[in-house]
Amino acid sequence: DADVTQTPRNRITKTGKRIMLECSQTKGHDRMYWYRQDPGLGLRLIYYSFDVKDINKGEISDGYSVSRQAQAKFSLSLESAIPNQTALYFCATSDATGLSRNQPQHFGDGTRLSIL
Amino acid sequence: AQTVTQSQPEMSVQEAETVTLSCTYDTSESDYYLFWYKQPPSRQMILVIRQEAYKQQNATENRFSVNFQKAAKSFSLKISDSQLGDAAMYFCAYRSAKDDKIIFGKGTRLHILP
């Protein structure tokens, strides 16, 4: 089983709909992140969480919200989807305690979201 | 604020040849970590190589190596003996040791010519 699981893998929906993307991890990492990837723009950080009670805005948080339901779960919501939120969305985890700072983030396989 | 720049949106290399992907970054911090990720058409994000800023020795992983120039804030990736499976998007990433902020470059799409 994958260490970081994102659901759904693909989703097509209509403008104005509420969408939730889910992420769960079995790595035991405290830190979780949501990114969106657009062609030519790389990965941009939407929200991140360093533990269950911690939520932080990233570079492009407008139009998004998150919930950290447990250490292992971090969901991303689009309250009212719009076409320019069409993108590939990644969840990632990391362990950033002391000596493990040189460890990379671990990514899910992404959710491709299309908003018509 | 830190920035990461990949100046080559696309590159091509002949199979079995060597190619270098460039990455520069801007930071006022002295302690940080640098990574190269590969994203094949399957869209997975796969770690290729990592470098700690406090280490002078350049990291190497099989056919992949980096040229880390801390003073110049440069972190290029060299792929030797290029293979068809190396075709992918490559992202350079910076991780701050201070606040754990992670910043990605915009990526370089690498094509391998048979």
Side-chain angles (χ1 to χ4, degrees), chain B residues 7-19:
Chain B
S7 60
Q8 306 146 317
E10 286 195 68
M11 294 189 72
S12 296
V13 63
Q14 209 73 37
E15 192 176 4
E17 296 294 308
T18 295
V19 64

Side-chain angles (χ1 to χ4, degrees), chain B residues 36-48:
Chain B
W36 276 98
Y37 284 90
K38 170 185 177 182
Q39 186 182 45
S42 65
R43 82 192 194 201
Q44 291 175 295
M45 291 288 286
I46 302 166
L47 177 71
V48 175

